[in-house]
């Protein structure tokens, strides 16, 4: 029998080593995954997206629940001014917990139009005998006489939520704005009511809508809400 040269033996040994490594790789790990493939560790989660409110559930008659979630853009506005017009206290005042729907009255203030925009203050007034707080955005929805929602849920304008402490009889307001549909060309409807849901609550308050037509579909149909500030917005 002919003897193989040292170089031939080394080549054969290298080939067999590669074959063994390939076999081990194909066999995978004990958990059934292929060795070297990405592994998902227990307890990890994918990045969250969208608004991150404390309560994203819908309130009665399709009014979205209010909350302290961030805006739907990447912009950030400055914190609300410390000036008050309704006797409420901005900032981290010591209240008796958040205000519940049953302790509040909702109203819509006078329109302050400008540059093709309609701007209404949505006002919550503490009707209870205790001090309580509101923070963040209200939920809102326009509805017709049968309670059917008109148009999509309002969007949240950029803003920095601040806790507003309401003593009995005092108020906080959030801005509700939209483009005038006669100027923007959006499809419009005249609501019967506006449903307002206080921050982190599920039950809504019904306010008779006297502001005329609102955009409900098409271009420039977005309705926006701002964070609550102390006062009545006038």
């Amino acid at each position: 029998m002919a003897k193989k040269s040292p170089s031939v033996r080394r080549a054969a040994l290298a080939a067999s080593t590669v074959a063994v490594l390939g076999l081990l790789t194909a066999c995978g790990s004990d958990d059934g995954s292929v060795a070297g493939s990405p592994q998902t560790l227990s307890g990890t989660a994918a990045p969250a997206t969208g608004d991150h409110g404390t309560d994203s559930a819908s309130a009665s008659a399709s009014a979205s629940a209010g909350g302290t979630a961030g805006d739907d853009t990447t912009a950030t506005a400055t914190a609300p001014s410390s000036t008050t017009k309704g006797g409420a206290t901005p900032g981290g005042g010591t209240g008796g917990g958040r205000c519940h729907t049953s302790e509040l009255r909702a109203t819509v203030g006078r329109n302050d139009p400008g540059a093709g925009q309609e701007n209404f203050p949505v006002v919550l007034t503490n009707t209870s005998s205790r001090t309580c707080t509101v923070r963040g955005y209200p939920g809102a929805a326009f509805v017709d006489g049968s309670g059917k929602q008109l148009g999509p849920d309002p969007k949240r304008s950029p803003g920095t939520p601040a806790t507003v402490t309401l003593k009995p009889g005092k108020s906080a307001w959030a801005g509700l704005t939209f483009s005038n549909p006669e100027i923007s060309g959006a499809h419009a409807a005249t609501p019967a009511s506006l449903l307002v849901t206080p921050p982190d609550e599920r039950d809504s308050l019904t306010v008779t809508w006297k502001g005329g037509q609102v955009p409900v579909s098409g271009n420039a149909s977005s309705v926006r809400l701002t964070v609550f500030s102390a006062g009545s917005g006038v």
Side-chain angles (χ1 to χ4, degrees):
M1 179 181 293
K3 293 185 179 180
K4 294 182 180 179
S5 67
S7 59
V8 173
R9 286 198 298 271
R10 283 195 296 268
L13 179 60
S16 62
T17 301
V18 170
V20 170
L21 289 176
L23 179 61
L24 291 175
T25 301
C27 289
S29 58
D30 291 340
D31 61 1
S33 62
V34 176
S37 63
Q39 302 278 330
T40 300
L41 300 179
S42 175
T44 60
T49 59
D51 285 346
H52 314 302
T54 58
D55 188 352
S56 60
S58 296
S60 59
S62 302
S64 296
T68 54
D71 57 81
D72 63 345
T73 71
T74 57
T76 301
T78 56
S81 168
S82 60
T83 303
T84 64
K85 296 182 180 180
T89 303
T94 56
R98 80 170 187 267
C99 300
H100 299 294
T101 302
S102 60
E103 300 173 308
L104 298 166
R105 179 180 72 252
T107 55
V108 176
R110 183 181 60 198
N111 185 20
D112 183 21
Q117 290 289 117
E118 310 301 322
N119 306 295
F120 295 88
V122 176
V123 183
L124 293 181
T125 302
N126 182 4
T127 59
S128 74
S129 59
R130 75 179 184 100
T131 297
C132 58
T133 62
V134 294
R135 178 182 175 86
Y137 298 82
F142 291 110
V143 296
D144 62 16
S146 65
K148 179 182 178 181
Q149 182 169 337
L150 300 173
D153 291 339
K155 297 181 179 180
R156 292 170 174 178
S157 294
T160 302
T163 300
V164 182
T165 300
L166 300 180
K167 295 181 179 180
K170 304 308 179 183
S171 303
W173 71 281
L176 183 149
T177 67
F178 53 86
S179 297
N180 185 315
E182 293 184 359
I183 297 175
S184 69
H187 298 295
T190 301
S193 305
L194 175 69
L195 300 185
V196 180
T197 311
D200 302 314
E201 291 289 300
R202 293 178 180 273
D203 296 329
S204 60
L205 299 163
T206 303
V207 184
T208 300
W209 180 252
K210 300 179 180 179
Q213 289 191 327
V214 302
V216 295
S217 65
N219 294 333
S221 62
S222 294
V223 177
R224 291 188 172 272
L225 292 165
T226 68
V227 295
F228 274 109
S229 300
S232 58
V234 296

